[in-house]
Amino acid sequence: MTRRALVALAILLIGACGPVSTPSSSGGAPIAVLGAENFYADLLAQIGGTRVTVSSILSDPSADPHEYEASPAAAKLVADSKLVIVNGIGYDDFMEKLLGASTKPDRIVINAQDILGVKDDVNVHVWYDPATMPKIAEAATAALTKLDPQNAAYFSEQQAKYLAALKPVNDKIAALKAKYAGAPIAFTENVAGYLTGAVGLQVLTPPAFMEAVESGTDPAPADVAAERDLLTSHKVKALLYNSQVTSPLTEQIRALAVSSNVPVVPVAETIPPGFKTFQEWQLAQLDELERALVK
C-alpha cells in the first residue's frame, strides 16, 4: 500500500471513531485541586485529567481520619488549591480552619454534605453510598468548567468516563442484592453501612456497640456480649471489620470471628495502597464480600 493510501486509510479510521476532545493547548498551567480525602482526590484526577494537579490530605491507610491534626504541609496544599472537595458532616472539620486561614476569592469549595443535603446526625461515610459519587462528579465537572471554560467539553467527557467506570460497581451491588438480600452480617464499626444497605444485608451488631467503637469509647458489656454471640453462635454470615481504625477490642472481635470460622471482610475509610481508583477499590471490597456471603 502506498504512503498516500495509508494516510487516507488513517483519516477514514479516525473519522469512524468519532471526534475526541483534548485539552486546549492555550489552557495555561494545570489547575491545582485538592480532595480532603483521597477518594475525592481520585475523582478530581479522573475528571480533571491532564488539566489538573491533584493533592490529598487523608490518605494514610494506618491513620485514623477522625483524629487527624492539620500540618503546615496540609495548610500549604489548601492555600495553593483553586478547587477543594471536603466531606463535611464533622468528618473533616480541620478543613474549615485550613480554608479560613487562606481565603481566595476564586477558590471553589465543594462540600459533599451540602451537595447531598444531609444533616449532621447521619453516617459520615457517605462515599460508600452508590448515589454519592455521581453527584460529587457532577459538581466537580461544573466547578472545573467554571475555572477552565475552554476545556468544558473535555471535562464533560472525563465525567462520562468516570460514571462509566462506576457501572461495574453498581452492577455488582445489584447482583449481590438479587442473591443475598436479607443475609445477616456484623460490623465492628458502621463504615460500609450505605454499601451493605444497598445490597440489602441485615446488620445485627447493636448500634450502641458501633457508635462506641467509632467514638473511641468502651461499649457496654451487654453490647460486647451480644456482638461476641453473633460470631460464636454463627448468627451472621460475615464480619465487616474496619481495617484502618482499630483498637484492642476490635482486634479481639476480629480474632473471635476467625476462630469461629466467620469470614472477615476488611473495609477502609480511604483508598488503600495498591488500588488505582475508587471504582477498583469498591469493586474489590464487593468481591471480598461476595466470597464471604457464598460460604
Side-chain angles (χ1 to χ4, degrees):
M1 184 177 290
T2 66
R3 183 175 183 277
R4 179 176 295 180
L6 286 170
V7 171
L9 177 60
I11 293 173
L12 285 173
L13 289 173
I14 292 172
C17 293
V20 177
S21 295
T22 56
S24 170
S25 59
S26 60
I31 306 164
V33 299
L34 180 142
E37 294 78 20
N38 67 359
F39 42 83
Y40 292 136
D42 170 71
L43 181 150
L44 288 169
Q46 291 190 53
I47 295 177
T50 59
R51 287 298 303 135
V52 298
T53 56
V54 185
S55 300
S56 178
I57 295 177
L58 295 180
S59 57
D60 184 348
S62 63
D64 183 346
H66 301 274
E67 296 181 358
Y68 176 83
E69 293 185 6
S71 65
K76 187 177 188 312
L77 288 176
V78 173
D80 293 342
S81 298
K82 287 192 171 183
L83 171 59
V84 176
I85 301 181
V86 300
N87 190 71
I89 324 176
Y91 189 77
D92 46 16
D93 282 346
F94 63 88
M95 287 298 297
E96 293 183 16
K97 182 178 180 180
L98 293 177
L99 289 165
S102 60
T103 58
K104 277 186 175 181
D106 60 341
R107 178 193 290 137
I108 300 175
V109 178
I110 296 173
N111 186 308
Q113 180 176 8
D114 294 339
I115 297 295
L116 300 174
V118 297
K119 297 181 179 180
D120 292 337
D121 59 353
V122 303
N123 182 347
V124 300
H125 309 96
V126 290
W127 56 93
Y128 270 100
D129 185 338
T132 292
M133 298 309 261
K135 294 177 181 177
I136 306 302
E138 183 178 359
T141 303
L144 288 167
T145 297
K146 183 176 181 180
L147 292 168
D148 187 6
Q150 60 189 342
N151 284 304
Y154 174 70
F155 296 136
S156 180
E157 289 186 2
Q158 293 296 106
Q159 179 192 8
K161 292 178 183 177
Y162 181 86
L163 296 177
L166 285 173
K167 187 177 185 304
V169 177
N170 294 326
D171 289 347
K172 188 73 170 184
I173 291 171
L176 292 178
K177 183 175 183 179
K179 195 169 184 180
Y180 298 109
I185 59 170
F187 282 163
T188 56
E189 187 178 341
N190 192 9
V191 174
Y194 292 109
L195 188 62
T196 59
V199 175
L201 303 181
Q202 183 183 8
V203 180
L204 299 187
T205 297
F209 178 93
M210 295 185 287
E211 291 166 8
V213 169
E214 185 168 357
S215 64
T217 60
D218 293 330
D223 291 328
V224 175
E227 177 80 346
R228 292 175 60 88
D229 181 62
L230 293 176
L231 304 172
T232 57
S233 299
H234 297 93
K235 295 178 180 178
V236 293
K237 297 281 290 182
L239 171 70
L240 274 71
Y241 164 79
N242 186 346
S243 59
Q244 186 165 344
V245 182
T246 64
S247 69
L249 174 60
T250 61
E251 286 293 326
Q252 291 169 16
I253 294 298
R254 183 193 66 79
L256 182 61
V258 172
S259 65
S260 302
N261 293 316
V262 174
V264 176
V265 180
V267 294
E269 301 205 29
T270 54
I271 303 175
F275 293 103
K276 295 180 180 179
T277 65
F278 172 82
Q279 295 95 326
E280 181 182 311
W281 169 44
Q282 291 295 293
L283 193 58
Q285 291 187 132
L286 287 166
D287 287 341
E288 188 78 16
L289 178 60
E290 182 178 33
R291 284 191 287 271
L293 293 173
V294 78
K295 292 182 179 180

